[in-house]
Amino acid sequence: MRSTILVAAALALGALPARAERPADFEAAFAAEARNADPAFAGFSAARGQSFYASTHGGDWSCSTCHGGDPSAAGQHAVTGQRIEPLAPAANAKRFSRTASVEKWFRRNCNDVLKRPCTAQEKGDLLVWLMGASAGAGGAR
Protein backbone atom coordinates (compact mmCIF):
# COMPACT_ATOMS: atom_id res chain seq x y z
CA MET A 1 0.00 0.00 0.00
CA ARG A 2 2.79 2.40 0.95
CA SER A 3 4.70 1.78 -2.35
CA THR A 4 1.50 2.40 -4.33
CA ILE A 5 1.13 5.77 -2.64
CA LEU A 6 4.78 6.63 -3.34
CA VAL A 7 4.48 5.68 -7.03
CA ALA A 8 1.26 7.68 -7.37
CA ALA A 9 2.92 10.68 -5.72
CA ALA A 10 5.97 10.37 -7.97
CA LEU A 11 3.77 10.18 -11.07
CA ALA A 12 1.82 13.22 -9.94
CA LEU A 13 5.04 15.17 -9.50
CA GLY A 14 6.55 13.95 -12.75
CA ALA A 15 9.51 12.53 -10.82
CA LEU A 16 9.77 9.28 -12.75
CA PRO A 17 11.87 9.27 -15.90
CA ALA A 18 9.98 9.20 -19.15
CA ARG A 19 10.17 5.93 -21.04
CA ALA A 20 12.55 5.74 -23.93
CA GLU A 21 10.91 6.77 -27.13
CA ARG A 22 11.47 5.57 -30.65
CA PRO A 23 11.76 7.55 -33.87
CA ALA A 24 8.37 6.16 -34.90
CA ASP A 25 6.85 7.77 -31.78
CA PHE A 26 8.11 11.15 -32.95
CA GLU A 27 6.89 10.51 -36.48
CA ALA A 28 3.39 9.82 -35.10
CA ALA A 29 3.49 12.95 -32.95
CA PHE A 30 4.64 15.11 -35.87
CA ALA A 31 1.89 13.62 -38.05
CA ALA A 32 -0.75 14.47 -35.45
CA GLU A 33 0.62 18.01 -35.19
CA ALA A 34 0.75 18.38 -38.99
CA ARG A 35 -2.81 17.05 -39.32
CA ASN A 36 -3.95 19.53 -36.69
CA ALA A 37 -2.27 22.42 -38.53
CA ASP A 38 -3.55 21.30 -41.94
CA PRO A 39 -6.50 18.91 -42.22
CA ALA A 40 -5.36 18.17 -45.81
CA PHE A 41 -2.04 16.74 -44.50
CA ALA A 42 -1.22 13.78 -46.76
CA GLY A 43 1.80 12.27 -45.02
CA PHE A 44 5.53 12.74 -44.91
CA SER A 45 7.98 12.47 -47.77
CA ALA A 46 11.54 11.16 -47.50
CA ALA A 47 12.37 13.01 -50.74
CA ARG A 48 11.23 16.31 -49.22
CA GLY A 49 13.21 15.46 -46.09
CA GLN A 50 16.38 14.86 -48.07
CA SER A 51 15.91 18.12 -49.97
CA PHE A 52 15.21 19.98 -46.72
CA TYR A 53 18.41 18.54 -45.17
CA ALA A 54 20.61 19.70 -48.05
CA SER A 55 18.98 23.12 -48.66
CA THR A 56 20.21 26.40 -47.21
CA HIS A 57 16.70 27.92 -47.17
CA GLY A 58 18.04 31.31 -48.22
CA GLY A 59 20.72 31.46 -45.52
CA ASP A 60 24.31 30.32 -45.31
CA TRP A 61 23.74 27.01 -43.53
CA SER A 62 21.89 23.79 -44.23
CA CYS A 63 21.52 20.81 -41.92
CA SER A 64 24.40 19.18 -43.81
CA THR A 65 26.70 22.12 -43.04
CA CYS A 66 27.30 20.62 -39.59
CA HIS A 67 25.86 17.10 -39.86
CA GLY A 68 27.67 16.34 -43.13
CA GLY A 69 26.31 14.95 -46.37
CA ASP A 70 25.90 11.48 -44.88
CA PRO A 71 23.62 11.54 -41.81
CA SER A 72 24.83 8.07 -40.84
CA ALA A 73 28.35 9.45 -40.28
CA ALA A 74 29.63 11.90 -37.67
CA GLY A 75 29.64 15.58 -38.52
CA GLN A 76 31.45 18.63 -37.25
CA HIS A 77 30.00 21.95 -36.10
CA ALA A 78 30.82 24.66 -38.65
CA VAL A 79 31.87 27.24 -36.05
CA THR A 80 33.10 25.35 -33.00
CA GLY A 81 34.56 22.34 -34.78
CA GLN A 82 32.93 20.11 -32.18
CA ARG A 83 32.22 16.54 -33.28
CA ILE A 84 28.54 15.79 -33.85
CA GLU A 85 27.45 12.17 -33.54
CA PRO A 86 25.54 10.67 -36.49
CA LEU A 87 22.01 11.99 -36.95
CA ALA A 88 20.47 8.87 -38.47
CA PRO A 89 18.81 6.65 -35.84
CA ALA A 90 20.27 3.50 -37.43
CA ALA A 91 23.77 4.83 -36.82
CA ASN A 92 23.10 6.42 -33.43
CA ALA A 93 20.46 4.81 -31.21
CA LYS A 94 20.37 7.87 -28.95
CA ARG A 95 18.86 10.01 -31.71
CA PHE A 96 15.12 10.51 -31.46
CA SER A 97 14.91 8.66 -28.14
CA ARG A 98 14.08 11.52 -25.73
CA THR A 99 11.46 14.22 -26.18
CA ALA A 100 13.46 16.92 -24.40
CA SER A 101 16.48 16.33 -26.62
CA VAL A 102 14.45 16.24 -29.83
CA GLU A 103 12.67 19.48 -28.94
CA LYS A 104 15.93 21.18 -27.91
CA TRP A 105 17.83 20.33 -31.08
CA PHE A 106 14.99 21.04 -33.50
CA ARG A 107 14.49 24.43 -31.79
CA ARG A 108 18.19 25.36 -32.00
CA ASN A 109 18.95 23.95 -35.42
CA CYS A 110 15.79 25.23 -37.11
CA ASN A 111 16.54 28.70 -35.80
CA ASP A 112 20.14 28.43 -37.07
CA VAL A 113 19.15 27.23 -40.54
CA LEU A 114 15.68 28.71 -41.13
CA LYS A 115 15.61 31.65 -38.71
CA ARG A 116 12.25 30.29 -37.51
CA PRO A 117 10.82 27.16 -35.90
CA CYS A 118 10.40 24.14 -38.19
CA THR A 119 6.88 23.04 -38.98
CA ALA A 120 5.65 19.59 -38.06
CA GLN A 121 5.64 18.78 -41.79
CA GLU A 122 9.33 19.72 -42.11
CA LYS A 123 10.31 17.76 -38.99
CA GLY A 124 8.36 14.71 -40.12
CA ASP A 125 9.77 14.79 -43.66
CA LEU A 126 13.30 15.02 -42.28
CA LEU A 127 12.72 12.26 -39.74
CA VAL A 128 11.25 9.90 -42.33
CA TRP A 129 14.30 10.42 -44.54
CA LEU A 130 16.67 9.91 -41.59
CA MET A 131 14.83 6.73 -40.57
CA GLY A 132 15.65 5.36 -44.02
CA ALA A 133 19.37 5.95 -43.57
CA SER A 134 21.35 2.81 -42.84
CA ALA A 135 24.38 2.86 -40.59
CA GLY A 136 27.47 3.12 -42.73
CA ALA A 137 25.45 3.16 -45.95
CA GLY A 138 26.96 6.42 -47.13
CA GLY A 139 23.72 8.37 -46.90
CA ALA A 140 20.02 8.00 -46.52
CA ARG A 141 18.05 6.26 -49.20
Side-chain angles (χ1 to χ4, degrees):
M1 176 71 171
R2 183 179 178 147
S3 63
T4 301
I5 292 171
L6 290 174
V7 169
L11 286 171
L13 296 172
L16 293 178
R19 70 173 174 83
E21 295 178 290
R22 300 167 301 131
D25 296 330
F26 291 99
E27 179 185 0
F30 296 150
E33 187 180 337
R35 202 172 298 110
N36 190 41
D38 179 5
F41 170 72
F44 297 123
S45 160
R48 279 193 311 257
Q50 182 177 18
S51 177
F52 182 86
Y53 182 83
S55 298
T56 58
H57 307 277
D60 295 332
W61 289 13
S62 68
C63 303
S64 63
T65 301
C66 295
H67 290 284
D70 177 1
S72 66
Q76 183 176 22
H77 193 274
V79 174
T80 66
Q82 183 178 3
R83 176 185 164 89
I84 300 173
E85 296 302 319
L87 190 56
N92 182 354
K94 291 182 180 177
R95 293 291 186 189
F96 300 98
S97 63
R98 292 184 33 242
T99 298
S101 179
V102 169
E103 289 175 354
K104 170 186 168 183
W105 289 111
F106 265 124
R107 183 178 56 251
R108 284 188 184 181
N109 292 340
C110 291
N111 283 328
D112 284 346
V113 173
L114 302 170
K115 310 297 184 218
R116 63 168 174 78
C118 290
T119 66
Q121 179 80 57
E122 292 165 335
K123 290 187 250 183
D125 287 342
L126 178 63
L127 177 59
V128 166
W129 177 64
L130 291 171
M131 290 168 61
S134 300
R141 292 172 271 161

